[in-house]
Amino acid sequence: MLFRSMPTWTRVGTGHLYLTYLTGIVDYKRSDGKEANLFAVYQGRMANKRMRSSKTSHGVPLAWEDSKTDSVTVTERYYRQLTDSNRIAAGLEFAKNGVSPTIMHEFSAYVQDEWDISEKFKLTGGIRYVRPSQYANKTLGSLNLSYAPTGNMNFYVSVNQFYKAPSPKYVFGNAFFIPNPGIKAEDGYTEEIGANIDLDKRTTLDFALFRRSHGNAIVIDGVKQLPDRKSVV
């Protein structure tokens, strides 16, 4: 899936960037460390106003950029150690981005189980449910197997699915991008094998080989004049 992006430009005149935000966090952890809970709320707004040059690398005139973005994120995360060899984590997440009426939101829930198969082998599995406002719901899985032959050495192999809905600016457009309501969500999976080795108290060696497979990958390409807009992409 292709997007249109603005060309290289030189700013003239003046520009202003305004950022306001509010964050609230409630963090609980039991004294023995076997149970914890985190609740966080973030609310912010970014307003951007700036002048650009009328000369660009593609010869397309650019005018004032005037954009605003509102964001709200609510996160709930819970952790508990069930036994000496078994731990679980679960959580809920809600995110809202954009400016009315071009607002998108997403709800997700996940559960993760970590199990010590033996003293040296550990297996971690997880399931995440994602529900975007503009796209199909999706259930994702993840699996990780690790082997620690010594206290300072760990080898692992993992497989993870991912699903990412496009940003509101890609769907509805802004000063940088033309609207593309038909854009699809990215999905796919990653496979990885690697090692973490502590060489000494101050040096750690991380090594990994991975493959990432995409469906509907978003690629920015080209430039286009929009005569009915203040700014072009």
Side-chain angles (χ1 to χ4, degrees):
M1 184 63 66
L2 298 179
F3 273 110
R4 303 294 182 184
S5 176
M6 60 175 292
T8 304
W9 54 272
T10 303
R11 182 168 60 187
V12 297
T14 185
H16 303 279
L17 177 65
Y18 304 93
L19 178 64
T20 57
Y21 65 92
L22 176 66
T23 302
I25 299 176
V26 178
D27 192 2
Y28 162 77
K29 187 175 182 179
R30 211 164 76 180
S31 58
D32 59 5
K34 294 184 178 181
E35 186 176 26
N37 190 84
L38 173 69
F39 178 77
V41 178
Y42 167 85
Q43 189 276 331
R45 164 172 284 193
M46 183 175 70
N48 191 17
K49 295 184 178 182
R50 57 186 175 184
M51 172 69 81
R52 297 182 182 147
S53 170
S54 60
K55 296 182 179 180
T56 71
S57 60
H58 293 80
V60 178
L62 298 174
W64 278 100
E65 175 194 344
D66 188 352
S67 63
K68 295 179 182 179
T69 303
D70 290 326
S71 299
V72 176
T73 304
V74 181
T75 303
E76 167 68 22
R77 298 176 181 173
Y78 177 76
Y79 165 85
R80 184 168 184 176
Q81 181 175 334
L82 301 177
T83 66
D84 291 339
S85 60
N86 188 213
R87 296 158 295 278
I88 64 167
L92 302 172
E93 297 176 356
F94 174 80
K96 182 174 71 171
N97 294 282
V99 178
S100 181
T102 60
I103 292 179
M104 297 173 63
H105 61 265
E106 179 177 291
F107 169 80
S108 63
Y110 70 90
V111 177
Q112 179 176 289
D113 192 358
E114 186 179 274
W115 178 40
D116 296 334
I117 302 174
S118 67
E119 185 177 339
K120 297 182 179 181
F121 283 93
K122 181 187 297 183
L123 181 65
T124 304
I127 297 177
R128 174 181 289 267
Y129 173 73
V130 183
R131 185 177 180 179
S133 59
Q134 304 284 336
Y135 298 92
N137 304 339
K138 192 87 169 181
T139 300
L140 311 171
S142 64
L143 191 65
N144 179 290
L145 177 64
S146 63
Y147 169 65
T150 65
N152 64 338
M153 187 179 299
N154 179 68
F155 300 91
Y156 66 91
V157 58
S158 66
V159 179
N160 300 280
Q161 293 179 293
F162 65 87
Y163 184 65
K164 183 180 180 182
S167 168
K169 64 185 179 183
Y170 299 153
V171 179
F172 303 108
N174 65 5
F176 290 88
F177 301 95
I178 61 175
N180 191 347
I183 185 67
K184 296 180 180 179
E186 288 186 315
D187 61 356
Y189 63 92
T190 59
E191 301 168 307
E192 184 173 342
I193 182 171
N196 313 112
I197 303 173
D198 295 330
L199 302 179
D200 54 44
K201 293 183 179 180
R202 297 185 300 175
T203 308
T204 300
L205 175 63
D206 294 329
F207 172 79
L209 293 174
F210 69 92
R211 182 176 69 174
R212 184 180 178 93
S213 299
H214 274 271
N216 303 314
I218 298 174
V219 180
I220 299 174
D221 180 51
V223 62
K224 184 176 180 180
Q225 171 76 49
L226 296 182
D228 60 340
R229 294 278 298 275
K230 277 182 149 184
S231 54
V232 298
V233 295

